[in-house]
Amino acid sequence: MQDDHPVKMPETAVAVIGAGPGGLAASRWLGAHGLVPAIMEAAPRLGGQWNAASATSATWPGMRTNTSRIMTAFSDLDHAPGTPTYVRQEEMLNYLERYAFTFGLLPHLRLGTRVEWLERTAEGAWLIRSISDQGTRAEIFRQVVIATGRHNLPQVPEIPGLSSFDGALGVAHTAQYAGAERYRGRKLVVAGCSISALEIASDLALGGAGNVVSTNHRQRYILPKLIAGVPTDHVMFTRAAALLGEVLPPEELAAGMKSTVVKAAGRPDQFGAPAAAENIFAAGISQVAAFPCGRGRGTHRRAPLDRAHRGTHRALLGRLHLRGRWASLRHRLPPVASLALQGDRRDDRS
C-alpha cells in the first residue's frame, strides 16, 4: 500500500507502537474497553527487550530478570508452573507470547512493521507512516499509544584511550554481549557496577574466562538476589518500606537501609572491592546472583596494590577481580583481550 492517500481508521481503532510488555498490556486494556488496537512492531517477533533476536534488544542467552517471578508478571496472568524464581530471557519471551495469545492480541499484531513517521494532523488526529515487507502505509488514528520503551542505542561513555584500545577482541558494550564462550581463557575488563555489568562479569568468570577485572567509578553496595532463600525484592522493596520513605528523614532512612543491606550481604570492602560511601543513597545499590557475595571458582586471595592505579584495590574472587575508579584505559588497565562497557542506552526504541 502506498502512502499517497492516508487511510482514515475507525474511531475505535488505536495505534500501539511497540509489542513489548508495555504495548501488550496497553493493548489488552484497550480491547477490554471496546477499542481495537493496531499493534505495530518493528521486529519479526513480539517481546521488546525480551526478544533477543531483535536488533535493539540488550538481553543475552540465559539472562535472568532483576526482579523475582511474582514481581515480573502481569496481574491477570501468572507465569507457567515450574518457572524459576528469577526468570530467564527465553522464559520471559514465552510468557509474553502466551499473554498475547491468552487475551486475543495475535490478530492485532503487525510484526515486521516499523513506524517511520508520527505527525499530528490539523484535525487533532495522528498520521502514522509505517513500512513493512508489504510496502508502506499511511494511516490516520484518533489515538496513539507509544510503547517503544526507553532504551534503544548503546550509550558509550567517553574514556581517554578508548579509541586506541588494541585488545584482540576489541571493545563491546554490554548490549552486544552474547554469552561467555567467545571469551574463554581470555583476560577481560568489565567497566560498570550496575546489575548488567556485574552479572556479565560473573557469567564470564564462571564461564571459563582467564581473568575478569570489574572496574567502576563509584562502588555500590551489592545485594544478592536471594536473602535467606527469599527473593530480595520481597525483603527490601516492600510497601512498608515505601511508606517509611515518605515519613522518615533521608539520613535515618539511609542508615536503616544500609544496616539491612550490610546484614544481608556484607560491605564491598569485605570482599576486596573498594569501600562504598557511608551514605547508601550516595553510593547506590546494585544486585547480582553470584558476585561478589557468592563464591566463585578457585581460591580467594588478595592481589598486590598497583601504584599506577592511585589507590585502587583489587582482589581475586575465583577468576574475578574487583577494581575501582577507572578513568583512563591507557594508563590504568593491565593487558587485556577485551573491554566490555556498561552505559545507559539512549531513548528511541521502535
Side-chain angles (χ1 to χ4, degrees):
M1 180 184 297
Q2 298 300 315
D3 61 0
D4 297 343
H5 304 288
V7 175
K8 186 175 181 180
M9 302 299 288
E11 291 291 315
T12 55
V14 180
V16 179
I17 306 175
L24 296 177
S27 298
R28 153 84 165 117
W29 186 91
L30 291 169
H33 289 78
L35 301 171
V36 182
I39 313 168
M40 306 175 193
E41 169 58 48
R45 190 176 182 182
L46 63 78
Q49 281 284 348
W50 296 106
N51 173 18
S54 171
T56 55
S57 173
T59 59
W60 60 87
M63 173 182 169
R64 293 184 183 270
T65 55
N66 296 337
T67 50
S68 62
R69 177 187 64 238
I70 294 174
M71 304 295 288
T72 317
F74 296 120
S75 61
D76 47 6
L77 185 68
D78 291 333
H79 282 280
T83 301
T85 302
Y86 286 91
V87 189
R88 292 182 180 273
Q89 170 268 320
E90 56 272 22
E91 293 163 330
M92 274 303 305
L93 181 57
N94 290 339
Y95 171 79
L96 293 173
E97 290 183 327
R98 185 163 62 90
Y99 187 88
F101 173 79
T102 300
F103 296 110
L105 302 180
L106 298 183
H108 303 285
L109 283 168
R110 299 184 189 178
L111 299 177
T113 300
R114 177 176 294 279
V115 173
E116 299 284 335
W117 188 263
L118 175 64
E119 179 183 357
R120 190 80 163 179
T121 68
E123 295 77 21
W126 294 95
L127 170 64
I128 293 181
R129 300 183 189 276
S130 62
I131 186 169
S132 68
D133 290 343
Q134 284 71 47
T136 60
R137 288 189 184 193
E139 298 163 298
I140 296 176
F141 291 85
R142 291 296 304 173
Q143 307 290 341
V144 176
V145 174
I146 300 177
T148 53
R150 295 185 58 197
H151 307 297
N152 183 16
L153 300 174
Q155 179 77 45
V156 178
E158 295 183 4
I159 307 172
L162 183 63
S163 60
S164 59
F165 177 77
D166 59 358
L169 298 180
V171 178
H173 191 278
T174 50
Q176 300 165 305
Y177 183 67
E181 181 61 31
R182 180 170 184 253
Y183 303 99
R184 290 182 64 84
R186 300 286 191 159
K187 295 180 180 179
L188 310 165
V189 169
V190 180
C193 196
S194 281
I195 299 175
S196 294
L198 299 187
E199 295 213 326
I200 287 175
S202 295
D203 193 46
L204 290 166
L206 297 174
N211 284 286
V212 182
V213 175
S214 179
T215 184
N216 56 76
H217 275 307
R218 171 172 54 94
Q219 179 60 54
R220 305 184 185 203
Y221 290 88
I222 312 297
L223 276 171
K225 286 191 170 181
L226 293 172
I227 297 176
V230 179
T232 297
D233 50 15
H234 292 213
V235 177
M236 297 294 301
F237 310 115
T238 63
R239 180 169 296 180
L243 292 173
L244 282 174
E246 296 178 359
V247 297
L248 287 180
E251 296 79 9
E252 188 174 342
L253 191 65
M257 180 175 289
K258 179 186 173 184
S259 175
T260 303
V261 169
V262 170
K263 182 178 179 181
R267 303 187 316 274
D269 54 291
Q270 290 177 296
F271 297 89
E278 283 297 319
N279 188 307
I280 198 168
F281 293 157
I285 301 175
S286 194
Q287 188 181 30
V288 72
F291 159 82
C293 306
R295 296 187 181 273
R297 297 176 182 173
T299 59
H300 183 190
R301 64 176 177 82
R302 290 190 181 278
L305 288 173
D306 182 347
R307 293 182 181 178
H309 291 78
R310 302 183 97 184
T312 56
H313 190 191
R314 65 178 184 167
L316 178 62
L317 180 63
R319 294 188 179 92
L320 187 61
H321 298 268
L322 316 179
R323 177 170 295 167
R325 298 207 173 193
W326 49 272
S328 172
L329 299 184
R330 183 178 297 109
H331 301 296
R332 291 184 176 238
L333 298 181
V336 291
S338 182
L339 173 69
L341 296 172
Q342 181 190 38
D344 296 329
R345 285 167 63 85
R346 299 191 185 100
D347 295 348
D348 269 345
R349 167 186 277 285
S350 60

